[in-house]
Amino acid sequence: MLEKLREIEKAARESLAAVTDQTALETWRVTHLGRSSPLMQVFSGLSQLSKEDRPTVGQAANKVKVALESAFAERAEAVKAAMLAKSLEEEELDVTLPGRGVRVGHLHPSTQQLRRVVDIFAEMGFQVYTSREVETDEINFQALNFPPHHPARELQDTLYVDAGERGDNPVLLRTHTSPGQIRAMREASAEHPDDPPPIRIVLPGMCFRSEQITARSEVQFNQVEGLAVGENITFADLKGTLSDFARRMFGQNVRTRFRAAYFPFTEPSAEMDVECFVCGGAGCPVCKQSGWLEILGCGMVHPVVLENGGYDPLRYTGYAFGMGPERQLMLRYKIDDIRYFWGNDVRFLEQF
Ligand code: DAH
């Protein structure tokens, strides 16, 4: 009987060594430890043994059972580990790989540049004043000292919204941000007509002109207007502020120059050039070999404009300026066609 138990154990261990998966494992358990397995038959045959043999065989059979059970448990662990290793190897799911990114957009290059300009003036104490895009002839032109039929209107081809019954005061799309000067001054002076407060603002936003669309002209473009009004403001303040702006925007060592110009709403008027930041002033195609780039118009606010805003020109003076962020970007990045800005081509937009 003991010999038989040894054989049972040996056979069971041999067949367990060949088990490599879950199904075979279960089959093995039923075959070698199940109700009708040879080992269990030894247990049920115990009663037929003699009193003397019974305890010896019983103990031996128990030992075999415990040994086979623990061998089974060990094998089950090993099979489980092997299956996990196999599935990790076969299934090409790497949970440590980064996920698929969501594509986020970004601000339009013009908006970015607009904000750079505004940020610089904000650091100098200017506030942002947002004015409307749809204007009247009165505010866009007349209050800025362009009377009806004035030749300076030739400079700004206008898109009309409603001209019909309105005579000399049609509704139009603003051709520049300058009419915001009138709105800001009137708003401030309306509250304190006898003692209007000083003003220091920038006015960013879209402007519109009836242009033939070419590489150099568009029907829409942004401007940033500036206005400072107060007592004892001089041309020196204008030069200091705008030169400082140029250094902050284009580099600490950049030189500036002011050239006399004409605008109806400023007197005297000037245009400011910065030293060409592409060639450093040596002369290149961007600055047309001149070494200078024109970046803004400016001047001392015309007395008529101050008056139209509710500010007494005998007591107050002021300066104003206007610049184009698209132009600055075109110069900086050598963009040779203004139509890219509103062409909605991501190959262009993605570069900023
Ligand atoms: N409004 C002018 C234009 O669109 C730009 C300009 C020039 C604005 C001189 C100003 C200024 O405030 O003082 O051409």
Side-chain angles (χ1 to χ4, degrees):
M1 212 48 175
L2 295 175
E3 180 59 28
K4 193 179 169 197
L5 275 172
R6 265 195 292 280
E7 269 164 28
I8 288 175
E9 184 177 358
K10 189 165 169 254
R13 283 188 183 278
E14 273 170 17
S15 97
L16 187 61
V19 166
T20 53
D21 63 36
Q22 212 74 47
T23 336
L25 207 54
E26 184 56 17
T27 312
W28 183 90
R29 197 187 59 77
V30 172
T31 315
H32 297 280
L33 290 168
R35 226 177 250 276
S36 41
S37 60
L39 181 59
M40 290 307 148
Q41 275 160 17
V42 172
F43 281 105
S44 42
L46 280 178
S47 54
Q48 277 128 54
L49 293 180
S50 66
K51 261 200 172 129
E52 300 78 54
D53 286 345
R54 223 182 278 167
T56 340
V57 175
Q59 273 172 18
N62 249 330
K63 257 194 190 157
V64 173
K65 183 170 174 259
V66 169
L68 288 183
E69 277 170 355
S70 88
F72 173 78
E74 221 171 85
R75 191 75 202 156
E77 274 303 311
V79 167
K80 218 166 115 186
M83 294 221 319
L84 180 64
K86 196 170 152 220
S87 78
L88 282 178
E89 202 173 285
E90 279 176 2
E91 290 170 28
E92 285 175 21
L93 173 68
D94 183 352
V95 292
T96 64
L97 279 175
R100 248 167 245 164
V102 180
R103 264 173 62 114
V104 259
H106 59 70
L107 291 176
H108 189 281
S110 294
T111 309
Q112 292 178 26
Q113 182 66 11
L114 206 68
R115 291 192 180 183
R116 281 183 207 118
V117 173
V118 167
D119 283 351
I120 290 173
F121 284 106
E123 281 175 6
M124 298 191 218
F126 285 74
Q127 287 182 303
V128 173
Y129 184 94
T130 8
S131 189
R132 58 185 70 184
E133 292 177 350
V134 179
E135 267 299 355
T136 59
D137 188 285
E138 186 213 332
I139 311 281
N140 191 79
F141 290 122
Q142 296 164 41
L144 289 168
N145 209 21
F146 296 78
H149 316 298
H150 190 283
R153 290 187 178 221
E154 291 293 308
L155 301 170
Q156 306 193 359
D157 295 321
T158 312
L159 291 160
Y160 292 93
V161 175
D162 178 13
E165 308 284 290
R166 297 181 57 92
D168 278 343
N169 194 21
V171 178
L172 43 82
L173 296 180
R174 67 176 175 189
T175 55
H176 50 173
T177 43
S178 307
Q181 292 186 27
I182 299 294
R183 294 203 176 269
M185 282 191 283
R186 285 189 180 171
E187 199 175 296
S189 61
E191 278 187 43
H192 305 278
D194 300 326
D195 193 23
I199 291 179
R200 193 162 48 175
I201 52 172
V202 280
L203 309 94
M206 195 67 83
C207 306
F208 307 87
R209 291 190 196 174
S210 176
E211 300 272 356
Q212 185 176 359
I213 299 174
T214 66
R216 307 183 52 128
S217 58
E218 252 288 6
V219 289
Q220 65 178 84
F221 52 90
N222 284 288
Q223 282 192 346
V224 180
E225 187 87 11
L227 175 69
V229 178
E231 290 176 65
N232 305 315
I233 291 182
T234 70
F235 200 87
D237 296 313
L238 165 108
K239 285 186 82 171
T241 306
L242 291 178
S243 302
D244 192 33
F245 163 76
R247 284 190 291 271
R248 293 188 195 212
M249 177 58 83
F250 302 110
Q252 278 307 310
N253 299 318
V254 82
R255 293 193 300 156
T256 50
R257 77 176 183 189
F258 289 79
R259 281 177 294 101
Y262 171 75
F263 300 102
F265 39 90
T266 44
E267 183 60 36
S269 303
E271 278 169 345
M272 184 176 84
D273 296 342
V274 297
E275 196 174 42
C276 179
F277 40 68
V278 175
C279 64
C284 72
V286 175
C287 60
K288 301 196 188 83
Q289 307 306 328
S290 72
W292 295 94
L293 300 170
E294 183 216 314
I295 60 152
L296 57 82
C298 58
M300 299 307 290
V301 181
H302 196 288
V304 167
V305 174
L306 286 171
E307 186 109 53
N308 287 337
Y311 280 76
D312 177 1
L314 295 176
R315 180 174 162 200
Y316 295 93
T317 52
Y319 64 81
F321 55 88
M323 63 180 80
E326 282 89 19
R327 178 171 163 75
Q328 292 170 4
L329 287 174
M330 289 177 78
L331 294 171
R332 164 129 286 178
Y333 297 112
K334 300 186 201 160
I335 299 165
D336 55 10
D337 194 324
I338 196 171
R339 289 170 291 195
Y340 285 126
F341 286 98
W342 317 120
N344 266 349
D345 187 335
V346 287
R347 289 172 302 178
F348 172 74
L349 299 173
E350 270 174 347
Q351 296 178 49
F352 297 90

